[in-house]
Amino acid sequence: MTTSNTTDIEIPLEGVESEHCALIVDKGLANVQGIVSHKVELNNRRAIVSTTTPQQIHDAVNAIRNLGYGVTTITTTLPVLQMTCASCAVSVESMLNTQPGVLTAAVNYASATVQVEYIPTVTSPAALRKAVQNIGYDLYIEESKTESLDDIQHRRFSELKRKTILAIALSIPTMVIGMFFMTIPFANEIMWALSTPIILWLGKDFFINAWKQAKHRSANMDTLVALGTGTAYVFSVFNMLFPEFWHARGLHSHVYFEAAAVIISFILLGKLLEEKAKGNTSSAIRKLMGLQPNEVMVVKDGAPVAVPIAQVMPGDVLLVKPGERIAVDGMVVSGNSFVDESMLSGEPVPVEKQEHDTVFAGTINQKGSFLFKAEKVGANTILAHIIKTVQDAQGSKAPVQKIVDKIASVFVPVVILIALAALVTWMLLGGENGFSQGLIAFATVLVIACPCALGLATPTAIMVGIGKAAERGILIKDAVSIELAKRVNTIVLDKTGTITEGKPVVTDAHWTNHDERSRQILKAMEAKSEHPLAEAVTAHLHEAKSAYAIEQFTSITGKGVSAIVSGQRYFAGNKKLLEENNITIPVDLETKASAWSRESKTVIWFADSTQAQAALAIADTIKPTSAEAIAKLKADGITVYMLTGDNESTARAIAAQVGIDHYRAEVLPEGKAEFILQLQKEHKIVAMVGDGINDSTALAQADVSIAMGKGSDIAMDVAKMTIISSDLGKISDAIKISKDTVTAIRQNLFWALIYNIIGIPIAAGLLYPVNGFLLNPMIAGAAMALSSVSVVTNSLRLKLKK
């Protein structure tokens, strides 16, 4: 029910499964200030809340979440159209954040997108679009458009290019006449005729957008350009038509048609170059999107048939020929080949694929052909996940951007006040030409001021940095992580699956004889065992044929297994099992086993009823790149810790092999988080690297959390960075990319701020009393255009960094 003052809002609830839960939520909502009434409906899993302001909806959602329950929301990224500067981004963001049902809205000017989290029962993309249209902008919503976003962007770029070329073509003769041929007949009229199409046709969007902003008591870069060029143009038309007004006062009637025309041309040129450069910052996304083929070969009734990628379903069998890209994630069912997975791992060496191996969308088949069964298609593939993660990250805001947004929100009004102050000062102190010079100073201040450079400084660098990381096989979820990673001085590594492969394998084996029969019997016995180490043994003996029938198979808890084969009993397990059955162990086997035990390897014994036949050493092997990666981190001045649930001897052995000086053994999952908290209390910036569910609490506690791509989904969900290839060496790459990105952000912000701090006072005429220098409005227009381009170009330099 809705009255003139209140609106009933439906909030979908998650986790409210009982009357008790509903009662807790009800009490929580009762404490929210301003809510007129509320009701929790358990059957419908929703809360009906009567509110008077959008802020009360925020407060109600926060109250529910603080109680440990969820609210069903949708987070989506929508392209924003018709933004021209950073102030526009602030206006769109402010408008969306005041809409009922919108919980967060963050506009990225560089990518021209907005990331919105909203309650679907309260608002919708169509409603948000209408709100944005009311202030002169637009949102691109696919279902409401007949034209694709790429087509719209291409059309607008082509239109901007055409306008820029025409404006330059008309402004060149206008400038030449204004500067060198002012005395020719009808000079003013010719410049008027040449500049009018530039101002009123090619530059009309500046005036239209400025008017839209003015209607909503707002201002942006278009306001500055429109006021500056409009003032120069109108003043020039007046002086051309009524020169006697000034002559009667003993003054010359100056015209500034060339200044207005050249300013518009420069700004259009700057916008063209900026759009082209901004397009390059998102090249990583376009590369990723181009990795998936549009058409695939699906095997139907034994024959391959060409099918559009959108029609592929899980369970379909696909044919991949040499040189083709793999379309979806799946498992090889026939054939073998080598596949280039560099788009996932960043590693150039192709990976061999055989039956039962997993293949991923976007990777490239090399020489062989094979069939594979589709398992994940569409938005569920690894490639789609990477694209979504990179898009979300590029749309997120770094902490420093919040300061920039505050500056941008007041930038235009402050500049207008400075311009008016310059005009008044010139009128009071400028003598006989004070008004004329004041108007030019007014226009010059408006034109030289550039909020765009400020607005582009952070997001362009973030977009390029995150895109570069994705190309290197590093997924970064948000801008906060990329800004914080450069400050990391302590890294905590989980052992299993991070430093080691995370899978036990047989590293050594010693047999008392070379009888193939013994190997076959051991493989047959271990194939029946459910012990985690049994799989390592069967994998090691993969070439041995299991030709023997197993009888009376018995699993002996904590010791091993026994079975009868061809009437004789055999044992496989630990040394205690052999001792209990009075089995003798040859000296050479005992010597080998003792050496392996000192290396913290697990020893599996195989014996018949009287004597041990073999000993096998099993260990979780260290990744080939771990030692080198850890050495590199230490060389960069980072302190490295290893945490593991394993025993002291195993932890000591692994730490020694990879060069780690600090380690903790027998650490429980909650102990890892506590250890990180302790380091943070010592004012250290901690990165946690892990791969398992048991690492998720520690990952959440760390300042920077990094998951291994071959680990658990929960770890990857919690972590802010994911190393797709699970190569520890990528951590140094991530930190280097972070440092380069933050450096670029600082450079961009410095030049954007210095440009405005120096340029605006000079444009106002600050140097005139000192040396008589006045900045030409045309030069101001060129400087303003180039400031944005220089910031974007500096961000693009990140692509060239190694």
Side-chain angles (χ1 to χ4, degrees), residues 10-19 22 39-48 70-72 121:
E10 177 188 335
I11 302 177
L13 301 175
E14 296 175 355
V16 180
E17 304 293 340
S18 66
E19 289 286 354
K39 179 173 63 174
V40 178
E41 297 180 356
L42 179 60
N43 291 338
N44 295 319
R45 300 290 191 276
R46 67 179 185 177
I48 306 296
V71 173
T72 302
T121 54

Side-chain angles (χ1 to χ4, degrees), residues 203-394:
K204 68 178 180 179
D205 287 342
F206 294 115
F207 296 91
I208 292 170
N209 293 334
W211 173 244
K212 286 179 180 178
Q213 292 297 312
K215 285 196 297 183
H216 292 89
R217 298 181 181 180
S218 183
N220 63 3
M221 189 202 75
D222 293 323
T223 308
L224 301 181
V225 175
L227 279 174
T229 57
T231 299
Y233 179 78
V234 170
F235 183 60
S236 299
V237 171
F238 177 85
N239 289 355
M240 181 189 70
L241 296 177
F242 306 104
E244 62 277 2
F245 177 85
W246 299 102
H247 295 162
R249 290 163 175 77
L251 300 171
H252 183 68
S253 56
H254 293 282
V255 295
Y256 299 96
F257 290 121
E258 79 283 2
V262 171
I263 288 168
I264 292 287
S265 300
F266 270 136
I267 292 171
L268 287 173
L269 178 61
K271 280 285 160 199
L272 185 72
L273 295 174
E274 181 186 314
E275 289 300 317
K276 192 171 182 62
K278 275 161 60 180
N280 288 333
T281 64
S282 58
S283 62
I285 283 287
R286 288 199 300 275
K287 283 180 185 175
L288 288 170
M289 288 180 167
L291 292 176
Q292 198 171 43
N294 296 319
E295 198 174 66
V296 296
M297 303 299 289
V298 176
V299 178
K300 295 183 177 180
D301 300 324
V305 179
V307 171
I309 182 69
Q311 294 180 17
V312 176
M313 302 295 290
D316 286 348
V317 176
L318 282 67
L319 171 66
V320 184
K321 296 178 181 178
E324 291 183 345
R325 287 196 181 275
I326 295 166
V328 297
D329 294 356
M331 184 181 71
V332 177
V333 294
S334 176
N336 58 79
S337 182
F338 283 85
V339 174
D340 178 0
E341 293 187 345
S342 57
M343 56 75 61
L344 283 176
S345 63
E347 301 300 330
V349 181
V351 179
E352 186 176 7
K353 297 294 179 181
Q354 298 176 338
E355 197 172 328
H356 304 304
D357 285 342
T358 304
V359 291
F360 301 100
T363 56
I364 305 171
N365 183 29
Q366 300 290 290
K367 295 182 178 179
S369 296
F370 61 87
L371 298 174
F372 76 97
K373 183 170 70 175
E375 293 180 338
K376 293 181 180 179
V377 302
N380 296 318
T381 66
I382 289 286
L383 177 60
H385 173 70
I386 292 171
I387 292 170
K388 178 73 166 59
T389 301
V390 173
Q391 283 179 324
D392 289 347
Q394 289 184 335

Side-chain angles (χ1 to χ4, degrees), residues 447-458:
V447 167
I448 200 170
C450 185
C452 296
L454 270 176
L456 290 166
T458 301

Side-chain angles (χ1 to χ4, degrees), residues 294-590:
N294 296 319
E295 198 174 66
V296 296
M297 303 299 289
V298 176
V299 178
K300 295 183 177 180
D301 300 324
V305 179
V307 171
I309 182 69
Q311 294 180 17
V312 176
M313 302 295 290
D316 286 348
V317 176
L318 282 67
L319 171 66
V320 184
K321 296 178 181 178
E324 291 183 345
R325 287 196 181 275
I326 295 166
V328 297
D329 294 356
M331 184 181 71
V332 177
V333 294
S334 176
N336 58 79
S337 182
F338 283 85
V339 174
D340 178 0
E341 293 187 345
S342 57
M343 56 75 61
L344 283 176
S345 63
E347 301 300 330
V349 181
V351 179
E352 186 176 7
K353 297 294 179 181
Q354 298 176 338
E355 197 172 328
H356 304 304
D357 285 342
T358 304
V359 291
F360 301 100
T363 56
I364 305 171
N365 183 29
Q366 300 290 290
K367 295 182 178 179
S369 296
F370 61 87
L371 298 174
F372 76 97
K373 183 170 70 175
E375 293 180 338
K376 293 181 180 179
V377 302
N380 296 318
T381 66
I382 289 286
L383 177 60
H385 173 70
I386 292 171
I387 292 170
K388 178 73 166 59
T389 301
V390 173
Q391 283 179 324
D392 289 347
Q394 289 184 335
S396 65
K397 288 190 176 184
V400 70
Q401 184 65 26
K402 295 175 183 177
I403 301 170
V404 175
D405 287 346
K406 287 180 181 178
I407 296 171
S409 65
V410 298
F411 184 88
V412 173
V414 168
V415 168
I416 292 173
L417 289 175
I418 294 172
L420 288 170
L423 171 60
V424 172
T425 303
W426 274 99
M427 288 173 64
L428 295 175
L429 307 174
E432 60 181 19
N433 286 321
F435 181 71
S436 176
Q437 294 285 21
L439 274 177
I440 294 307
F442 174 79
T444 307
V445 168
L446 293 173
V447 167
I448 200 170
C450 185
C452 296
L454 270 176
L456 290 166
T458 301
T460 51
I462 291 291
M463 288 176 70
V464 176
I466 286 172
K468 185 178 179 68
E471 291 173 359
R472 294 283 300 154
I474 305 161
L475 278 186
I476 300 174
K477 283 189 180 178
D478 58 32
V480 177
S481 296
I482 201 169
E483 190 173 329
L484 192 57
K486 77 171 288 293
R487 296 171 52 204
V488 166
N489 52 29
T490 304
I491 288 182
V492 177
L493 303 174
D494 173 51
K495 179 185 76 70
T496 307
T498 302
I499 296 174
T500 65
E501 295 287 359
K503 186 179 180 181
V505 294
V506 174
T507 58
D508 307 275
H510 187 74
W511 296 80
T512 58
N513 58 61
H514 298 288
D515 182 13
E516 184 65 22
R517 180 174 179 275
S518 297
R519 290 171 171 78
Q520 293 174 357
I521 292 171
L522 177 59
K523 181 181 179 183
M525 289 175 65
E526 293 289 18
K528 280 185 168 291
S529 174
E530 296 179 356
H531 194 280
L533 299 182
E535 187 178 341
V537 177
T538 55
H540 175 69
L541 298 172
H542 66 278
E543 293 181 356
K545 296 179 181 178
S546 301
Y548 291 92
I550 302 295
E551 298 174 0
Q552 297 183 25
F553 178 84
T554 305
S555 178
I556 306 162
T557 305
K559 297 172 185 175
V561 297
S562 72
I564 292 177
V565 179
S566 302
Q568 185 173 359
R569 183 164 293 278
Y570 290 89
F571 298 89
N574 58 26
K575 190 175 182 180
K576 193 172 184 180
L577 178 65
L578 272 62
E579 289 172 347
E580 288 182 357
N581 288 278
N582 300 314
I583 294 169
T584 58
I585 300 174
V587 176
D588 59 336
L589 272 185
E590 185 74 67

Side-chain angles (χ1 to χ4, degrees), residues 54-131:
Q55 183 58 44
Q56 290 168 3
I57 302 174
H58 277 254
D59 295 342
V61 169
N62 288 335
I64 294 167
R65 286 176 170 173
N66 288 339
L67 291 168
Y69 300 102
V71 173
T72 302
T73 62
I74 293 175
T75 301
T76 186
T77 300
L78 299 170
V80 185
L81 306 177
Q82 298 169 23
M83 287 196 302
T84 57
C85 71
S87 296
C88 302
V90 172
S91 297
V92 173
E93 188 172 300
S94 300
M95 173 56 73
L96 288 173
N97 275 317
T98 59
Q99 296 306 299
V102 173
L103 300 181
T104 58
V107 176
N108 185 325
Y109 173 54
S111 61
T113 57
V114 59
Q115 197 174 80
V116 191
E117 182 188 10
Y118 64 92
I119 304 172
T121 54
V122 181
T123 190
S124 66
L128 300 180
R129 182 185 178 211
K130 188 174 181 181

Side-chain angles (χ1 to χ4, degrees), residues 586-636:
V587 176
D588 59 336
L589 272 185
E590 185 74 67
T591 303
K592 290 280 187 183
S594 297
W596 296 335
S597 295
R598 285 194 295 272
E599 295 172 11
S600 296
K601 295 179 179 179
T602 301
V603 178
I604 300 294
W605 298 88
F606 173 63
D608 57 24
S609 58
T610 59
Q611 182 176 301
Q613 302 293 315
L616 294 85
I618 297 179
D620 182 7
T621 55
I622 294 169
K623 293 177 183 176
T625 57
S626 291
E628 183 183 349
I630 289 164
K632 191 173 181 183
L633 290 170
K634 290 169 69 177
D636 291 338

Side-chain angles (χ1 to χ4, degrees), residues 89 108 165-166 181 213 265 371 502 646 659 678 682 714 737 766:
N108 185 325
I165 292 170
L166 284 172
F181 301 103
Q213 292 297 312
S265 300
L371 298 174
D646 269 347
Q678 184 59 43
E682 296 170 10
I714 292 176
I737 289 170
L766 185 68

